[in-house]
Amino acid sequence: MSFSRTLAIDFETANERRDSPCAVGLAWIEDGRVVRRESRLIRPAEMRFSPGNIRVHGIRPRDVERAPSFPEAMAPFLPEIAGSLVLAHNASFDVGVLAATLRAYGLAQPAYTSLCTVQLARRHWPGEGGQGHGTYRLSSLAARIGVTFRHHDAGEDAYACAQIALAVMRESGAPDVASLARRLGLARERAGEGARAPDGLAARALRGIAAPSTVQDAGRGAAPRQARAPLLHFVVRGSSGTPYDVRLVEGRDGPRLRCSCAGARFRPDCRHVRALAAGEIDALLSDNPGDVAQLAGLLRVG
Ligand SMILES: [Zn+2]
């Protein structure tokens, strides 16, 4: 196991679903210290925020209305995750969020190795404070090692997580976090896999169709989007003015459209999907009417 880099990651989610991240924080470790920190708000595909989640992180729908979607927010970071040692506090959560959301958007899963800093702390400071789990909470551990941070801010949580790994590394005399992970046998390798969507019928049909070059709904501006994957993505205006994402995904029986509106949870062919499938562009906010025209032909394939 050798790693291209070591970084800590933390996600906050809008609701109980793993594929609802509304914020991500990252902290990079080099030469025994945190050398870089990044955090981004993320606009979840489904704008449903549970009160319990809001209570934890304080992020509300209006805070992320104009934020980039997961693929946009994560675009600069996914190549950094590939081949890396990725630390997270209670890693099964953050690893699960990453995997579920990549899957939801039909994006490739990067191969990387994860290290849970809860397990790391349990191993290094065993039996602390008797039974409860409280001792191994991020806030408790950060206090123990003298790191101050704003808990449940994704960037701050990732930073605290990185500092915990660094503290254990120093106390145990390991030269770096990667060696520490190897020594303790706590690192978990995650196999990468290709993107789902670009396989099969849809891939052949989609090749040559560019992703939308600009997206012009309110607040997202007209920033150039990179055509990273041959997926079609539309933004449509709902009847109350709310923008919804409609994506072409590879379904079991061929390509199909998936909408982010609440109605689509109960009825996959919501009014937005039906309108696009019928070639209607009245409510289209993304400037890719040409893709809508191609869509009718693609959907007939399935
Ligand atoms: Zn819809």
Side-chain angles (χ1 to χ4, degrees), residues 49-284:
F49 280 66
S50 300
N53 291 57
I54 292 178
R55 224 172 289 128
V56 167
H57 50 57
I59 300 168
R60 294 169 180 279
R62 63 168 176 271
D63 300 322
V64 299
E65 261 168 15
R66 298 169 176 221
S69 64
F70 178 86
E72 291 162 329
M74 292 300 289
F77 306 133
L78 290 173
E80 304 252 330
I81 289 170
S84 293
L85 177 63
V86 177
L87 318 179
H89 205 68
N90 190 13
S92 63
F93 173 79
D94 301 284
V95 163
V97 169
L98 180 61
T101 316
L102 288 168
R103 204 176 304 124
Y105 280 98
L107 299 172
Q109 304 280 344
Y112 64 97
T113 300
S114 67
L115 174 65
C116 176
T117 48
V118 174
Q119 292 179 12
L120 187 64
R122 281 186 191 282
R123 187 70 66 88
H124 185 70
W125 294 299
E128 295 281 327
Q131 47 286 84
H133 298 300
T135 316
Y136 299 103
R137 285 163 64 173
L138 194 59
S139 49
S140 312
L141 290 167
R144 175 193 181 108
I145 62 172
V147 168
T148 51
F149 76 118
R150 274 181 294 124
H151 197 11
H152 293 304
D153 170 287
E156 296 270 312
D157 283 9
Y159 173 73
C161 169
Q163 291 293 357
I164 288 163
L166 287 170
V168 175
M169 177 199 87
R170 282 190 293 267
E171 288 193 11
S172 56
D176 52 44
V177 177
S179 311
L180 179 69
R182 273 191 288 268
R183 183 191 298 175
L184 297 178
L186 291 174
R188 295 282 169 265
E189 284 182 56
R190 316 260 163 202
E193 60 179 49
R196 271 181 167 189
D199 302 325
L201 281 176
R204 256 173 290 139
L206 289 173
R207 219 151 275 150
I209 300 177
S213 53
T214 59
V215 176
Q216 294 178 324
D217 63 292
R220 296 174 87 197
R225 289 163 51 93
Q226 288 166 354
R228 282 182 303 275
L231 279 172
L232 293 188
H233 173 203
F234 307 94
V235 181
V236 299
R237 190 200 314 273
S239 52
S240 60
T242 310
Y244 297 114
D245 287 298
V246 181
R247 293 168 196 281
L248 187 70
V249 297
E250 182 82 54
R252 202 175 291 254
D253 307 311
R256 64 180 189 87
L257 288 170
R258 183 160 63 201
C259 181
S260 66
C261 77
R265 268 183 289 153
F266 306 104
R267 182 176 173 175
D269 61 330
C270 66
R271 61 200 296 175
H272 315 113
V273 162
R274 276 179 282 139
L276 283 180
E280 292 170 21
I281 56 168
D282 298 354
L284 191 68

